[in-house]
Amino acid sequence: MRFRPSVPWLLLAFLWPAPAALAQFQYSGRGMGTADVISSAGDNSPEARYKKAQSGSNLSDWVRRLDADDPAKRLDAVKSLGESNDPKAIDYLIQAVNDPDPRVEAKAVDYLGKLHAADSTPFLIQKLFTVGTRDKLRQRIVMTLGKIGDPRASRPLLQYVSQDMNPEIRGAGIYALGELADESLRQDLARFSEEQTDPRLKRLASEALVKVSTRQQAPVEKKSPFPTALEAALSTERP
């Protein structure tokens, strides 16, 4: 005999929510939407951290985390400060360059270059010459000085690469000098290139000289074929 469901059973099956819908309702709780649930749970994704840092409302929280015992928290604070648009973050990134954890100090230097923080140039130069600075950090610093593009770094950077014996740091420094393209160093760079016996350094110095020589000058204003109002007035007064 074939079973035929009665009307109450059909009505019950229609009204009973689907498992997925039920799970979603139970998860959201009290009618909360998906965005509300994510917000209440605390979204810690990189995008959310970026939005928090960009708003500037949590700058003080990230600054406090720079003094945390856990280096992972300090690294997270540096990332958030570096991704923010708050000019005050530059000072704290400079402070983080002195962090005892190599990952934290390296990331702080990278962000200073990314932000073209010219205010950090004197500090980075001092850090470059400071005894005890790690070679890997020195290499990062010279590259960062090239990214920042502050001409104040040109002369000290040339002085440093002339005396440092690490070929990796010297090569990075010469490349950075090419990025700075300071015309006042043209003769010094040429002399430096001639004195080099390492073919790699010699090539980098030659490329830096090319960058300095081909540095884009301010465009020369072309004279218009049409006379100005003053020229037209003067031409009418001439006999």
Side-chain angles (χ1 to χ4, degrees):
M1 182 176 181
R2 194 172 184 180
F3 174 74
R4 295 182 179 179
S6 61
V7 174
W9 278 101
L10 290 173
L11 182 61
L12 181 61
F14 178 77
L15 294 177
W16 189 260
L22 179 63
Q24 183 178 0
F25 179 80
Q26 289 176 342
Y27 178 72
S28 60
R30 297 186 180 181
M32 293 172 61
T34 304
D36 296 329
V37 174
I38 294 177
S39 178
S40 63
D43 186 3
N44 196 34
S45 65
E47 293 79 9
R49 289 202 308 269
Y50 173 76
K51 290 180 180 178
K52 286 181 180 179
Q54 190 178 39
S55 65
S57 58
N58 293 299
L59 182 67
S60 58
D61 295 335
W62 301 121
V63 171
R64 282 195 295 270
R65 288 197 176 196
L66 289 177
D67 295 326
D69 295 331
D70 186 359
K73 291 183 178 180
R74 300 199 302 272
L75 180 61
D76 192 41
V78 167
K79 292 178 180 178
S80 297
L81 289 168
E83 292 166 356
S84 72
N85 290 327
D86 196 326
K88 297 178 182 178
I90 300 297
D91 294 335
Y92 298 109
L93 289 172
I94 293 174
Q95 173 185 333
V97 176
N98 287 324
D99 193 277
D101 191 283
R103 299 169 302 169
V104 178
E105 63 179 5
K107 185 60 67 175
V109 170
D110 290 345
Y111 273 117
L112 289 173
K114 180 181 178 181
L115 298 173
H116 302 282
D119 290 342
S120 67
T121 297
F123 169 79
L124 291 175
I125 292 173
Q126 180 183 3
K127 187 73 174 179
L128 181 64
F129 282 90
T130 299
V131 177
T133 300
R134 301 179 181 92
D135 281 349
K136 288 185 177 181
L137 185 64
R138 282 196 169 102
Q139 187 172 352
R140 254 187 164 89
I141 288 175
V142 295
M143 294 298 292
T144 294
L145 290 171
K147 290 180 181 179
I148 292 175
D150 189 342
R152 293 179 296 173
S154 299
R155 188 65 59 180
L157 193 53
L158 179 61
Q159 178 185 350
Y160 185 82
V161 298
S162 298
Q163 69 184 35
D164 193 281
M165 301 307 296
N166 187 315
E168 300 297 330
I169 299 178
R170 298 185 79 188
I174 296 169
Y175 178 84
L177 286 170
E179 293 297 296
L180 289 169
D182 189 345
E183 293 184 356
S184 66
L185 297 183
R186 181 179 298 180
Q187 294 182 354
D188 298 287
L189 271 174
R191 189 180 306 109
F192 180 87
S193 178
E194 293 173 358
E195 295 173 353
Q196 296 310 305
T197 56
D198 189 327
R200 297 172 301 173
L201 296 179
K202 196 175 189 68
R203 177 177 56 82
L204 285 171
S206 299
E207 292 175 354
L209 269 172
V210 171
K211 291 180 180 179
V212 172
S213 302
T214 59
R215 184 179 184 180
Q216 186 175 4
Q217 302 294 327
V220 179
E221 185 179 356
K222 295 182 179 179
K223 185 174 179 61
S224 173
F226 300 99
T228 63
L230 178 60
E231 290 172 344
L234 291 175
S235 63
T236 57
E237 295 178 359
R238 293 170 184 165

